[in-house]
Amino acid sequence: MTPPIEPAGLSRRQFLSVAGLTAGTALLAGCAPGATLGSGPQTLQFWHLLSGGDGVTMSTLLQQANDAQDAFRIRPTVLAWGTPYYTKLAMAGAGGRAPDVAVMHATRTVGWAPGGLLDPWDLDRLAELGIDGSKFPDPIWEKGFVGENMYSIALDAHPFVMMFNTDICDAAGVLDTDGALKKTSSPEEFVDQLRTVSGTAEGHALSYGYLGDGAQMWRLFYCLYAQHGLAMELPIGGKAIIDKDAAIESLEFMQTLLDGEIAAAQNDYGSAVAEFATGKSGMLFTGVWELRTMQNAKLPFDATVIPTLYGTPAVYADSHSFVLPNQTNPDPAKRDLTYRFVADMLKGSFGWAEAGHVPAFLPVTQSPKYDDLLPQAHYAEAAEHVVYDPTAWFTGSGSSFQGEFGAAVQGVLLSGDDPAAAIDRFEARVNTLLAQPNPADPEGTWKP
Amino acid sequence: MTNTATSTRAIVTGGASDLRPRRAGTGRREQLVSWAFLAPFVVAFVLFLIWPIVHGIYLSFTDQSLTGAGGSLVGFANYAEALTDPVMWRSMGNTVWFTLLSTVPLVAIALLMAALVDRGLPGQWLWRLSFFMPYLLASTVISQIWVWIFNPQIGAANNVLEAFGLEPLAWLQNPETNMMSIVIATVWWTVGFNFLLYLAAMQNIPPQQYEAASLDGASTWRQFWSITLPQLGPATVLILLLQILASLKLFDQAYQMLGGVASDTTRSIVQYIYEAGFTSYRFGYSAAISYVFFALIVIVGVAQAVVSRRRKEQL
């Protein structure tokens, strides 16, 4: 690419014109990806928001996908998760020149599909590649639909779980003979178990970080709320349907845990993870994405779903899902390769399980190999009981909804404010959001 | 006063008419050259300032979304919503509260620091450097530093409290202390700029005045009170004005120190504009809030101008 010239032997004008010509040629070549059609592997642009340990695992999986065939090459772009990612992806979709495929949280698609920011998946083509509803847990497959069309295909479920230090819990006598945590089925039983663990843990029985972290507060709260056999409903243009009694009971239970003895009254997410990772506490409420952290810390630990305390098994989760951001003129050949790539990734998602996530593709979690993958196999049942954020355009991972929840209830956990008043504050804010139009469809013209 | 003004104008007018015959031949060419020199600035000014302002006003009357949807005119609906939106007013209130809380220490501490450095502290270069250095740091860096300091479990701030036998605080998370925590971090971060302005103003005061005062037996305190402070009047007005404008723009450090979490007690109006536009994708509404904010700044500015003119007239 370097022009074969000696800059010293050229006048400034000559040098500039040669350099300009070279740059222009390179630019034109870059603008014409179609020119290479049929002459080698197609490049598929892939945006995702996975960093840290997840990012390393995803890179490995992409490398495997690339090496396994000659038809396409995946070119990933990694962006900081949360608002920055979703803003950029939305703008790319709005402009119609989006990447070929991207990862989104399943809970976010409902705010996007009505505005045409996402293209629907062709279920027939997916079925030809061996991807259909029978290969996914029902709640995870269903979450991919907005109206009649499917907009996202889940790679995983990443539930909110409970990790426990096997040495500390064993010393406290709360483990079964097979090493699993003894079952508790009511708030009282669970609190008793935690108080027993308090006796042997150097720090607290439980690590739970929530300060300034609406998502953390919401994950535990909604898990407990859903265990009442309830789901919040957020009808657009209407009023939020929230069972006050269940909501208050869930918040009061969280207050009980944060008494300074069972769990630190004031802890943020990072400090809670550190407390557990350094072996000072018996249990930790966290997402499965912290599995690698604990493995790297060489901690004697296991993981399980948060016990069912209110009768109905429910596990708060979200799913990393593949979506087709809107392209004005999608290249049919590339689109088809994208389907192949997604099918390959789902079938090869055992590697993704190693990062802690529960693969959505059942043939992976039902394989004997997966049973041997510990502690992942101990919480694989979570996929059957996943509970996502209530459906609305403003909810989901990385949305402001979870921040609003945190702002409303943090005082309850931090300084013992009244739970009922906090739920009222939250409800009022949600009702304000419900009264606003979906920004992806402000004129309300979309019909499923 | 009037005579001087009239005579000045006469000289200017006379001078200009004297030049007219000489410029007649080259006027058009000179004009072209001057426009050519001005053009890049004018283009940038129109493209990046005038056009966004005009387009923003237009957007504020539409339901335009960041996602590309919408765009229909909705009249004053966005403004009506903004004016009745409790979160908008709360954010506006937080911004004004922050401005009040931060401006006073940012001016007073800067004055104190400048006075210490100006009058005789040994190792002046070290003081100047250490007072000004935090100002050079990016907001991301200072946010991270202060998040550590304010960490309820391992932070230095709670170590200090505990050393005095006080209860530890959740500085950034407790709604009763989080705004104050942001003020403390902001003062540490930005006071260096005001310090520099004050120091420059102090060094413009002729040393002979201090010498004379010393000969008359005035103490250092007396000199500061009767010589330094009165002569810092114009600098103080400038610093106050710049500081109020800077404080009203509160966003990045508060947003980062709280991890982007919406907090009723710290969400500034700029953060709410950002949330409406980039989290909720409501561009039209976001534009409307920013013009409500703009209107309030204009009102404050005009009020400030009126008050200072009255004060001048009284003087």
Side-chain angles (χ1 to χ4, degrees):
Chain A
M1 282 307 283
T2 315
I5 49 168
E6 292 291 326
L10 291 169
S11 72
R12 193 169 63 101
R13 192 173 295 245
Q14 281 171 319
F15 174 75
L16 286 177
S17 44
V18 172
L21 200 66
T22 315
T25 315
L27 202 68
L28 282 176
C31 287
T36 55
L37 225 160
S39 59
Q42 289 278 293
T43 300
L44 299 181
Q45 301 283 351
F46 173 46
W47 284 16
H48 69 80
L49 40 63
L50 303 154
S51 55
D54 282 353
V56 174
T57 312
M58 180 51 84
S59 296
T60 314
L61 294 182
L62 293 178
Q63 191 62 48
Q64 284 167 4
N66 278 339
D67 294 346
Q69 43 69 47
D70 290 326
F72 60 81
R73 286 281 168 274
I74 293 293
R75 199 157 93 194
T77 300
V78 189
L79 298 158
W81 102 279
T83 306
Y85 179 76
Y86 284 114
T87 302
K88 285 167 192 151
L89 192 60
M91 292 179 80
R97 296 201 300 170
D100 298 298
V101 58
V103 163
M104 259 181 92
H105 287 96
T107 49
R108 298 297 299 265
T109 49
V110 67
W112 288 38
L117 293 174
L118 300 175
D119 294 342
W121 289 95
D122 178 349
L123 292 174
D124 294 338
R125 179 64 188 132
L126 284 173
E128 282 169 24
L129 292 162
I131 308 297
D132 61 56
S134 69
K135 308 244 172 50
F136 292 78
D138 284 341
I140 296 181
W141 179 258
E142 290 302 323
K143 191 66 193 170
F145 286 83
V146 181
E148 308 236 311
N149 288 321
M150 188 198 218
Y151 286 94
S152 70
I153 308 170
L155 171 65
D156 66 24
H158 45 280
F160 193 60
V161 296
M162 186 165 80
M163 296 183 182
F164 57 97
N165 184 311
T166 46
D167 285 356
I168 293 174
C169 289
D170 195 19
V174 297
L175 297 187
D176 279 336
T177 45
D178 58 356
L181 204 62
K182 281 182 183 161
K183 288 243 176 298
T184 52
S185 52
S186 71
E188 295 77 22
E189 278 179 32
F190 185 49
V191 166
D192 283 348
Q193 188 181 61
L194 286 163
R195 292 211 192 281
T196 313
V197 176
S198 286
T200 49
E202 184 190 331
H204 299 93
L206 172 73
S207 295
Y208 172 58
Y210 68 95
L211 282 178
D213 192 339
Q216 271 294 96
M217 290 183 253
W218 171 254
R219 286 168 188 148
L220 181 57
F221 168 82
Y222 201 55
C223 175
L224 298 170
Y225 180 88
Q227 288 188 354
H228 288 80
L230 298 162
M232 272 185 202
E233 287 174 48
L234 306 178
I236 294 302
K239 298 280 179 200
I241 301 169
I242 301 174
D243 187 299
K244 292 277 172 59
D245 293 340
I248 291 167
E249 191 173 17
S250 306
L251 264 188
E252 283 175 345
F253 179 66
M254 289 166 74
Q255 263 182 330
T256 311
L257 296 178
L258 297 163
D259 64 353
E261 287 176 16
I262 293 177
Q266 301 180 359
N267 223 351
D268 61 13
Y269 181 81
S271 309
V273 168
E275 186 183 35
F276 183 75
T278 49
K280 293 200 176 76
S281 59
M283 300 182 195
L284 170 72
F285 285 158
T286 187
V288 292
W289 51 87
E290 292 294 354
L291 195 75
R292 281 268 160 89
T293 313
M294 302 312 156
Q295 286 171 335
N296 292 340
K298 308 267 186 266
L299 199 69
F301 81 104
D302 201 344
T304 180
V305 294
I306 291 173
T308 304
L309 306 178
Y310 297 102
T312 308
V315 180
Y316 177 78
D318 206 336
S319 292
H320 294 123
S321 303
F322 291 108
V323 294
L324 297 170
N326 172 50
Q327 292 185 337
T328 313
N329 296 307
D331 176 342
K334 278 190 161 192
R335 204 26 69 109
D336 195 59
L337 290 171
T338 304
Y339 276 74
R340 281 180 54 187
F341 160 68
V342 168
D344 288 354
M345 287 294 280
L346 291 171
K347 290 171 187 168
S349 58
F350 185 80
W352 193 234
E354 289 175 335
H357 309 281
V358 183
F361 197 58
L362 285 174
V364 173
T365 49
Q366 288 170 348
S367 68
K369 205 166 65 157
Y370 187 78
D371 288 341
D372 298 334
L373 192 65
L374 295 177
Q376 287 89 328
H378 288 163
Y379 55 75
E381 62 175 293
E384 302 293 335
H385 306 295
V386 295
V387 173
Y388 292 101
D389 268 18
T391 305
W393 64 262
F394 51 81
T395 60
S397 296
S399 69
S400 54
F401 170 77
Q402 296 180 353
E404 297 287 357
F405 177 77
V409 310
Q410 183 170 262
V412 176
L413 307 181
L414 184 64
S415 22
D417 289 357
D418 177 24
I423 296 297
D424 287 344
R425 273 199 301 276
F426 174 59
E427 188 182 16
R429 184 72 190 122
V430 171
N431 284 337
T432 307
L433 290 168
L434 283 172
Q436 293 169 2
N438 179 350
D441 180 32
E443 278 135 40
T445 49
W446 190 77
K447 295 283 174 283
Chain B
M1 193 69 189
T2 321
N3 286 344
T4 324
T6 319
S7 56
T8 312
R9 198 175 303 136
I11 290 166
V12 169
T13 322
S17 60
D18 286 348
L19 282 171
R20 206 168 289 145
R22 210 150 45 85
R23 288 178 62 185
T26 53
R28 184 174 292 263
R29 192 190 150 87
E30 273 182 13
Q31 258 183 1
L32 273 177
V33 170
S34 60
W35 274 110
F37 274 107
L38 276 176
F41 170 74
V42 171
V43 168
F45 184 72
V46 170
L47 211 58
F48 297 111
L49 196 73
I50 303 296
W51 170 242
I53 287 174
V54 172
H55 190 60
I57 291 173
Y58 167 74
L59 280 182
S60 71
F61 290 104
T62 70
D63 60 0
Q64 179 68 51
S65 162
L66 182 71
T67 63
S72 309
L73 286 169
V74 293
F76 285 93
N78 286 328
Y79 286 96
E81 188 183 335
L83 294 175
T84 54
D85 180 353
V87 182
M88 206 255 347
W89 287 113
R90 186 82 204 241
S91 312
M92 199 78 86
N94 288 339
T95 306
V96 172
W97 181 227
F98 172 82
T99 305
L100 290 174
L101 285 179
S102 62
T103 302
V104 175
L106 274 167
V107 175
I109 295 174
L111 175 65
L112 185 73
M113 281 164 37
L116 286 175
V117 171
D118 186 48
R119 306 301 306 277
L121 267 189
Q124 278 204 23
W125 66 270
L126 180 68
W127 296 108
R128 286 181 200 199
L129 186 71
S130 43
F131 288 163
F132 189 66
M133 195 103 100
Y135 185 73
L136 299 174
L137 297 175
S139 67
T140 44
V141 176
I142 73 108
S143 301
Q144 195 55 54
I145 292 172
W146 283 93
V147 163
W148 285 328
I149 292 175
F150 287 136
N151 184 297
Q153 302 291 326
I154 54 164
N158 275 348
N159 288 347
V160 173
L161 288 187
E162 281 164 11
F164 286 99
L166 298 167
E167 285 290 305
L169 289 174
W171 292 83
L172 285 169
Q173 291 81 21
N174 192 327
E176 284 161 20
T177 54
N178 55 9
M179 182 59 100
M180 191 46 81
S181 309
I182 291 166
V183 169
I184 293 170
T186 308
V187 169
W188 178 83
W189 178 31
T190 58
V191 74
F193 182 68
N194 293 350
F195 154 75
L196 214 62
L197 291 181
Y198 263 132
L199 191 62
M202 281 182 191
Q203 293 185 341
N204 273 342
I205 301 172
Q208 295 85 341
Q209 295 186 7
Y210 293 108
E211 283 168 23
S214 298
L215 290 175
D216 288 342
S219 66
T220 311
W221 177 241
R222 184 78 228 170
Q223 290 175 26
F224 177 75
W225 197 248
S226 301
I227 300 176
T228 315
L229 218 48
Q231 299 200 50
L232 289 180
T236 303
V237 171
L238 174 76
I239 290 169
L240 261 177
L241 193 70
L242 291 177
Q243 190 52 57
I244 289 170
L245 289 176
S247 288
L248 285 172
K249 289 193 297 186
L250 167 70
F251 172 52
D252 41 358
Q253 72 271 38
Y255 184 79
Q256 290 170 88
M257 284 169 70
L258 293 175
V261 175
S263 155
D264 273 352
T265 46
T266 59
R267 183 198 273 119
S268 65
I269 189 68
V270 180
Q271 179 170 343
Y272 192 50
I273 290 167
Y274 167 81
E275 284 174 11
F278 292 94
T279 309
S280 300
Y281 306 140
R282 300 183 67 207
F283 242 33
Y285 185 55
S286 180
I289 309 169
S290 56
Y291 282 98
V292 171
F293 181 44
F294 178 67
L296 280 193
I297 290 182
V298 169
I299 291 169
V300 171
V302 169
Q304 197 261 351
V306 169
V307 170
S308 62
R309 183 176 299 172
R310 278 216 187 120
R311 276 188 54 198
K312 260 185 203 161
E313 281 167 5
Q314 279 167 6
L315 287 171

